[in-house]
Amino acid sequence: MLGTSSQTPTAERNHNGYLVRFDGEGILVDPGEGTQRQLLRAGVAPSTITAIAITHDHGDHCLGLPGVLARLALDGVTRPLPLVYPSGAAARVEALVDVAGPHAARVVGHPVEDAGSSPEAILALPARGGPSGRDGLGGLVLEAAALDHRVPTCGYRLVEPDGVTMDPSALAARGITGRDVGLLQRRGALSTPAGTVALDQVSAVRRGQRVAVVMDTRRCDGASALADRADLLVCEATFTDAHADVAPRYGHLTARRAGRLASAAGARRLVLSHFSQRYRSLDDHVLQAREEHDDVVAAEDLVRIAVPSRA
């Protein structure tokens, strides 16, 4: 959590910034003003950033982009850096890239054109050290869907490809051991003295993990789709019930509505963020969200929050 404040930073909270680290990838979502310094304070090397995704072009979500790009170049990063953003934010995002100057990190733009309410694959990542690809897209897949804010806005979801869990008793019953287990996994079937054994006869599908980031939105289908069965859902909770009438007017959620979103979508852990500067305490945010969903964490700057392990 590099920054957890909304429009105005506070003494305790920086503008938005979320670094999702998964299988050797580092997806920086919404580099708000001050992100470069927050990385330093968090003890995170900027060179761990392998892609950047911007939800929309409001300043608290993107004004730190030039500094991050300049710092990556200073640290010797020469690889092209994928930069994902809504096509409606192209003018401002491209201007910020220009501000970084000719010696900044080289970006490869991935504007999200006509995002709908169903998440669509935007970027394939190699999942260094992780599982093999899915549907020809590579390893991890970054998906985007449209949100309902005052300007064109996208939410994002990082999806791990599905894997398999082998059943030791089923393998033993068919006399499959050692190297043959790996061959079966790679080929999908294996010839044995007792006949051909298919992978699905001795295994079960292990659904890939999902991490979703839903910022600046009213309730909408896109937010629900991104949150669907997320293992970790980072969601804006700008207001409490005390300002429930204000939230939709400005294109935001309350903590309670974030809790309802997580519960209805079957998300596992809900991380609340993007708090209005008017709140000195987050107790009401957590209380109201927990009345709707069990596993709720209020984000604090520089805190690392783990994807919850599966039983």
Side-chain angles (χ1 to χ4, degrees), residues 105-261:
R106 181 165 62 93
V107 303
V108 177
H110 293 268
V112 181
E113 305 281 353
D114 301 320
S117 58
S118 297
E120 295 185 5
I122 301 300
L123 186 65
L125 300 162
R128 301 159 200 179
S132 58
R134 182 191 70 161
D135 299 335
L137 287 171
L140 298 171
V141 175
L142 184 68
E143 299 177 335
L147 299 178
D148 181 12
H149 193 43
R150 291 173 289 156
V151 297
T153 303
C154 289
Y156 297 103
R157 182 169 69 184
L158 191 64
V159 179
E160 179 188 36
D162 291 342
V164 295
T165 299
M166 305 305 290
D167 183 341
S169 61
L171 290 168
R174 292 164 174 80
I176 301 173
T177 60
R179 293 178 55 196
D180 286 343
V181 176
L183 288 173
L184 175 58
Q185 288 179 298
R186 289 191 294 274
R187 297 175 179 174
L190 184 72
S191 295
T192 73
T196 300
V197 176
L199 180 60
D200 60 8
Q201 293 178 282
V202 292
S203 68
V205 174
R206 183 184 71 249
R207 186 178 60 81
Q209 293 179 303
R210 302 178 178 192
V211 178
V213 181
V214 175
M215 287 292 120
D216 290 37
T217 186
R218 303 174 182 89
R219 289 177 289 182
C220 65
D221 291 341
S224 297
L226 289 165
D228 181 40
R229 295 175 296 162
D231 294 276
L232 188 70
L233 170 60
V234 182
C235 187
E236 75 124 303
T238 310
F239 299 104
T240 65
D241 288 349
H243 300 95
D245 58 328
V246 175
R249 190 187 317 161
Y250 290 99
H252 289 295
L253 295 174
T254 64
R256 182 178 301 281
R257 288 170 182 162
R260 288 175 181 167
L261 172 67

Side-chain angles (χ1 to χ4, degrees), residues 277-295:
Q277 69 273 15
R278 71 188 69 200
Y279 302 107
R280 299 300 299 272
S281 169
L282 299 179
D283 290 349
D284 286 344
H285 286 76
V286 174
L287 176 64
Q288 290 162 19
R290 282 183 179 163
E291 288 176 352
E292 309 294 337
H293 188 70
D294 291 337
D295 191 341

Side-chain angles (χ1 to χ4, degrees), residues 30-50:
D30 283 354
E33 186 178 349
T35 294
Q36 181 183 176
R37 185 168 184 269
Q38 292 295 91
L39 287 165
L40 177 66
R41 295 183 66 208
V44 176
S47 59
T48 62
I49 299 169
T50 56

Side-chain angles (χ1 to χ4, degrees), residues 51-73:
I52 298 176
I54 294 174
T55 60
H56 62 296
D57 66 4
H58 283 164
D60 54 325
H61 294 261
C62 65
L63 287 182
L65 179 62
V68 170
L69 296 180
R71 178 55 189 268
L72 288 172

